[in-house]
Amino acid sequence: MPKVKVNDRTVEVPPGTSAMDAIFHAGYDVPLFCAERHLSPTGSCRMCLVKAGAPRKGPDGEWIKDESGEVKIFWFPKLMASCTLAVSEGMVIDTLSDEVRHAQSGMVELTLANHPLDCPTCDKGGACDLQDRAYEYGLDAKFYTDPSGEPVYTRYAFTKRHVDKHHPLSEFIILDRERCIHCKRCVRYFEEIPGDQVLDFIERAVHTFIGTADEGLPSNFSGNITDICPVGALLDRVARFRGRNWEFEQTPSVSTDDASGQFIWIDARSGRIERIRARENPELNDIWISDAARFGHEWADMDRVTQPLVRKGGSLEPATWEEALAAMRQGLEGVERKRVGLVLPGDATIEEGLAASELAKQLESGFLDFEGRTAVPASNFPAVPFASVLEADYLLVVGDPTEELPIAHVWIHKRLRGVPMPPRFNHGTPIADLSIREHTPPDPRLLGAFAPHPTRVMAWAEAKGVFEPGHAVAFLAAFDAALAGREPTEVAGVDPAAVKRAAGRWLAAEKRVLFLGAEVLMDPEAAKLAEKIAKSQGAGVFAMTPAANARGLEAMGVWPTGDREGPRAAFIAAEAPPQKLLDMTEFRVFHAARMSEVVRRYADVVLPARTPYEKRGTLLNVESRLVGLEPAHVDAGEAEGLTQALGLFADALGVQAPVRFVRQARRRFHERYRIDLDKLEPYGTLWRPRVSLAPRPAPMEGNLYLRPSMWKARHRLGTTVQRALGALELAAHPETALAEGLDEGATLEVETPQGALRARLVFDPELPKGWFFLPAGMPAARLPFRALVPQGGETS
């Protein structure tokens, strides 16, 4: 590896490393605005200017030496931008000379020339790169003095420009154009990370500003620009004016909004969650998180249940824990233990799953389930790390990763652009990665995308198609036939040529990755065929389950095995339990963090629960990586964790709960699997347990398709998310809707497992005919379509 001298230190770095990363690797700092974490450097900010030189070889192939016999360094005639300068053997880099400091000081002065000094009212105060650079590299008395020799601390003798200060780019992001320093980070981010062409420079010279199309920022990853903006130009509207950065209590944790387990920071103030930010994990989510993970936290502070509730006289009344225990004992009296059901949330931790599984065994109950469970266990498919996507020669997607597993969308786009896994330095991930090239279009030959509805990744795919809901098995059968050299069977809506093209690319590849959405996982026959294809071709699989901890709960044995008679009583920690369960049970104990219509209507006893932001526990994500949750500093009243609530429920049944506390669950987990959940690797620990569970098919009939969505039902409770998403939309092909006598724009009441939902009818000619599509924030499902047009609300 090339040896590079940075000031007085010599370091070895991989070939092609930027001089900037060599400087950081050597332990020195360099100011920058233009490049940040994997974004292609442009050198536009000129803050990373350094003095650099390198030796040369003579005609004889030997290094040219000076008069003293030392290898001669030929200094470049001008200062170089270190973010675009690749290192070479023997290069010398100077970051401390007066020449360099003078240039850096001058660039800070130019950057501040038109920048408003409104730090007292700017939300970025205390976490602003420009503040840090102005303090560290700003005006130096050594370079600017008046004729008398006194330092000159300002040379401003003009009025700064004034432009739009509060320009909303979307409901989530607001732009202060006066503060923008035109670093282009946000523009490059959208182009290079999610692949969305939604932001760009408009006008030229002093009139240049950042702008979007009329539709704003139609991206599932727009919030990340608030993290990478080096000044207070781009701000999170959900967290704006919520507090100063030094006032937040910052907790490193993990998002439970999907199965990826994105690393996040939870910022709380005065017992309330005010902001969610991305936390770096180069092996999982890099430094990016989805908008649902960032902005979907408002529900955690709404309608909180802060103490036990007991139904008295037809209504739920506040009670003590002793009164709640007495009410449970009375309600469970005479109920056989084996007729008691336990339903966990999909984001229940491994510790909570272990506690529930042990209790179910003690009760001899087979009615143990979790919300978001698919018909086929995700554990049936061998998990692979996200890094394998960058090494794959072909990616086949059967589903919608942008909505079902948002961070997979980013990894897929990286692979199609040819972005390699970055090396690791002393300072972590490369700051200016020279292996990344700007304006590199995605290679469509590497991707095949098929789903029951149009998806965003289809825009990048050479082979693509939309099949009807319920026809995943037909598509996979056609694909399997094409792999065997046979003519693929016809699949409604999919061109056979596209199937053959995808099969040909798949066979020609050496390394393959298969993404399977809920449409496949909810169909045992389709899942079995997908498993056969993956195993025969040695492909890695991402089973994109709706539940955040599906693999972890399955590993703990949380899976239904009960008979059709069903339970008589139930402990319910799910937000939207099946209506069938609510109808068949006589007594229901809810463990809920917030009051909902389901709780108000069906609960006999309510135990206050902690939200996922307040838990300590462990998840097993989609790539089979153990990642840890940490509790944020939130005022949750008397709320208790699920393990403690299950222990109290066991007391009401007259049994001793095998596991009552998280620490006890972790100790038992360590005894069983020899893994200490208190000492996970910094970026998570890979663990692939052996799980053997039988599929549990669910009846799926009708023409209402519950389309998986990144935004869950609880996210839509937040006021900002409501404004951003607008009214719930029921989409259908125009012919389908008109056949039902429904006009575009009609406001309908649609019956779903979550109750009756109001939705606005929209026409989409790209959808399969005969179906209605509703984003429901739950596993893909097909239901009879029943729509009621509210009186006086036929059109919106």
Side-chain angles (χ1 to χ4, degrees):
M1 292 194 295
K3 290 186 177 181
V4 182
K5 186 177 181 181
V6 181
N7 298 323
D8 59 347
R9 301 172 189 171
T10 300
V11 294
E12 290 187 2
V13 291
T17 299
S18 68
M20 174 180 287
D21 280 302
I23 294 168
F24 279 110
H25 189 64
Y28 290 97
D29 194 13
V30 60
L32 69 155
F33 289 132
C34 64
E36 181 76 31
R37 302 293 185 197
H38 290 262
L39 295 183
S40 303
T42 63
S44 60
C45 81
R46 297 296 173 188
M47 277 297 295
C48 63
L49 292 172
V50 296
K51 185 178 179 181
R56 297 178 185 170
K57 290 184 178 181
D60 58 356
E62 298 295 328
W63 294 113
I64 298 176
K65 298 184 179 180
D66 58 19
E67 295 176 355
S68 63
E70 297 292 329
V71 175
K72 184 177 181 180
I73 300 299
F74 293 83
W75 295 96
F76 300 138
K78 294 178 181 282
L79 298 182
M80 305 294 292
S82 61
C83 59
T84 57
L85 177 64
V87 299
S88 60
E89 179 63 39
M91 179 176 282
V92 177
I93 303 172
D94 176 7
T95 69
L96 303 177
S97 65
D98 282 354
E99 184 181 2
V100 173
R101 291 184 61 195
H102 195 172
Q104 292 170 341
S105 178
M107 292 312 302
V108 169
E109 187 178 19
L110 287 175
T111 303
L112 290 171
N114 276 302
H115 193 83
L117 301 181
D118 51 1
C119 304
T121 61
C122 178
D123 263 19
K124 203 77 169 186
C128 174
D129 289 350
L130 185 55
Q131 283 182 338
D132 297 338
R133 301 301 174 252
Y135 177 77
E136 297 167 1
Y137 302 93
L139 194 63
D140 194 313
K142 186 173 184 178
F143 306 124
Y144 302 105
T145 58
D146 64 14
S148 67
E150 292 296 320
V152 177
Y153 292 107
T154 179
R155 298 191 292 176
Y156 300 147
F158 52 84
T159 300
K160 296 186 178 185
R161 68 189 179 105
H162 295 283
V163 291
D164 190 0
K165 284 192 68 66
H166 306 289
H167 178 74
L169 295 179
S170 72
E171 291 293 340
F172 296 131
I173 307 296
I174 196 163
L175 168 65
D176 189 319
R177 287 176 175 164
E178 282 189 352
R179 298 176 189 164
C180 179
I181 61 172
H182 303 158
C183 67
K184 206 184 177 183
R185 277 188 189 176
C186 53
V187 176
R188 291 202 314 278
Y189 161 76
F190 277 114
E191 178 188 315
E192 298 179 15
I193 306 303
D196 298 319
Q197 304 292 335
V198 296
L199 202 62
D200 206 348
F201 282 142
I202 301 174
E203 299 294 347
R204 302 183 68 178
V206 72
H207 302 293
T208 300
F209 65 93
I210 296 293
T212 69
D214 293 337
E215 59 269 20
L217 296 176
S219 173
N220 284 14
F221 307 92
S222 64
N224 293 309
I225 60 177
T226 63
D227 285 346
I228 65 175
C229 180
V231 293
L234 294 166
L235 295 174
D236 173 353
R237 297 182 74 181
V238 178
R240 193 166 173 239
F241 302 139
R242 295 287 188 171
R244 288 299 190 178
N245 285 280
W246 56 84
E247 296 175 328
F248 292 129
E249 296 180 273
Q250 303 173 1
T251 304
S253 192
V254 167
S255 169
T256 62
D257 296 290
D258 59 63
S260 64
Q262 304 163 84
F263 273 36
I264 60 173
W265 288 101
I266 305 174
D267 293 346
R269 179 174 181 245
S270 301
R272 174 189 171 96
I273 298 173
E274 302 292 5
R275 183 173 66 181
I276 301 292
R277 294 177 293 123
R279 182 162 64 100
E280 184 182 14
N281 185 338
E283 299 175 9
L284 198 159
N285 60 285
D286 219 344
I287 57 168
W288 321 117
I289 58 175
S290 68
D291 283 353
R294 183 181 298 273
F295 302 119
H297 61 82
E298 289 180 300
W299 68 272
D301 296 311
M302 301 176 64
D303 298 325
R304 283 302 300 263
V305 178
T306 57
Q307 66 182 106
L309 303 173
V310 174
R311 189 169 294 279
K312 298 177 181 178
S315 63
L316 292 171
E317 301 293 340
T320 64
W321 284 92
E322 290 76 11
E323 291 172 335
L325 176 60
M328 287 191 291
R329 282 175 174 162
Q330 182 179 354
L332 294 170
E333 188 176 355
V335 178
E336 291 183 85
R337 294 175 181 174
K338 65 179 181 179
R339 311 306 309 178
V340 174
L342 307 176
V343 183
L344 309 187
D347 53 23
T349 64
I350 282 179
E351 293 86 346
E352 293 167 344
L354 190 151
S357 178
E358 293 293 310
L359 178 59
K361 288 179 183 177
Q362 187 163 349
L363 299 177
E364 298 182 351
S365 170
F367 305 107
L368 177 62
D369 207 348
F370 63 91
E371 189 175 24
R373 173 185 61 81
T374 51
V376 177
S379 304
N380 281 14
F381 298 91
V384 290
F386 281 113
S388 65
V389 176
L390 301 185
E391 302 171 355
D393 300 310
Y394 193 72
L395 309 173
L396 179 64
V397 176
V398 188
D400 187 357
T402 308
E403 299 292 341
E404 298 183 81
L405 192 68
I407 204 64
H409 172 106
V410 173
W411 285 94
I412 291 171
H413 188 242
K414 281 185 182 181
R415 176 63 192 99
L416 301 185
R417 294 183 65 245
V419 177
M421 196 69 181
R424 300 290 295 169
F425 295 101
N426 289 338
H427 60 280
T429 308
I431 301 293
D433 194 341
L434 297 181
S435 65
I436 301 176
R437 295 290 180 265
E438 287 189 83
H439 308 298
T440 302
D443 187 349
R445 298 172 298 175
L446 302 176
L447 177 66
F450 301 86
H453 47 80
T455 66
R456 288 172 56 189
V457 298
M458 287 181 180
W460 304 331
E462 177 189 59
K464 54 191 173 184
V466 176
F467 54 82
E468 288 188 21
H471 286 65
V473 64
F475 164 74
L476 290 169
F479 185 77
D480 188 43
L483 292 178
R486 303 190 304 271
E487 191 67 23
T489 55
E490 290 189 8
V491 182
V494 179
D495 185 356
V499 178
K500 289 195 288 186
R501 191 179 301 115
R505 298 287 189 193
W506 180 272
L507 290 173
E510 293 185 7
K511 297 181 179 179
R512 312 166 181 87
V513 172
L514 177 61
F515 291 87
L516 300 177
E519 172 68 12
V520 176
L521 301 179
M522 292 299 288
D523 186 337
E525 190 177 352
K528 186 176 181 180
L529 197 50
E531 186 178 1
K532 171 195 169 187
I533 292 171
K535 286 184 177 179
S536 63
Q537 304 295 331
V541 180
F542 284 90
M544 301 184 292
T545 63
N549 194 30
R551 282 185 174 271
L553 295 175
E554 291 166 6
M556 295 300 99
V558 181
W559 195 261
T561 59
D563 54 41
R564 294 184 178 181
E565 185 178 344
R568 288 184 54 201
F571 177 93
I572 302 172
E575 294 181 20
Q579 185 63 43
K580 183 178 180 181
L581 173 70
L582 298 174
D583 293 338
M584 72 171 54
T585 49
E586 302 167 5
F587 186 77
R588 311 166 198 89
V589 175
F590 276 78
H591 185 235
R594 54 172 298 273
M595 185 62 67
S596 65
E597 288 302 319
V598 173
V599 173
R600 287 191 180 93
R601 181 176 178 183
Y602 291 100
D604 295 293
V605 175
V606 182
L607 304 180
R610 295 175 181 169
T611 68
Y613 304 109
E614 302 151 25
K615 290 183 179 181
R616 174 173 282 108
T618 314
L619 307 180
L620 188 64
N621 77 346
V622 68
E623 53 177 353
S624 208
R625 183 189 302 270
L626 291 166
V627 292
L629 293 169
E630 291 296 330
H633 301 271
V634 176
D635 182 7
E638 299 178 28
E640 286 289 354
L642 183 55
T643 52
Q644 291 92 331
L646 285 170
L648 190 68
F649 185 72
D651 292 342
L653 286 167
V655 300
Q656 180 67 35
V659 177
R660 302 183 73 96
F661 303 102
V662 171
R663 187 172 296 278
Q664 186 181 359
R666 289 186 169 184
R667 186 164 56 247
R668 185 163 298 198
F669 184 90
H670 182 265
E671 293 171 356
R672 188 178 300 177
Y673 301 106
R674 315 311 304 172
I675 296 176
D676 189 349
L677 297 180
D678 289 314
K679 298 178 180 179
L680 299 178
E681 296 294 325
Y683 298 132
T685 301
L686 293 176
W687 176 54
R688 294 184 172 86
R690 294 182 179 180
V691 180
S692 178
L693 299 171
R696 296 282 296 190
M700 301 180 75
E701 301 175 351
N703 62 339
L704 174 63
Y705 185 79
L706 299 183
R707 176 176 178 170
S709 171
M710 175 185 75
W711 298 103
K712 305 300 186 288
R714 65 188 184 188
H715 295 148
R716 291 179 177 270
L717 298 172
T719 54
T720 308
V721 175
Q722 285 181 8
R723 290 197 306 267
L725 300 184
L728 197 64
E729 291 185 344
L730 178 72
H733 191 282
E735 294 183 14
T736 304
L738 294 175
E740 294 278 349
L742 300 173
D743 294 328
E744 187 173 18
T747 301
L748 309 176
E749 227 176 51
V750 186
E751 293 185 11
T752 74
Q754 297 173 331
L757 301 178
R758 290 175 66 90
R760 185 172 65 90
L761 182 65
V762 296
F763 288 176
D764 188 346
E766 296 185 6
L767 291 175
K769 297 180 182 179
W771 295 88
F772 291 85
F773 292 81
L774 185 72
M778 58 185 300
R782 296 181 292 280
L783 302 166
F785 176 67
R786 301 187 187 93
L788 304 175
V789 181
Q791 186 175 2
E794 295 184 356
T795 58
S796 61

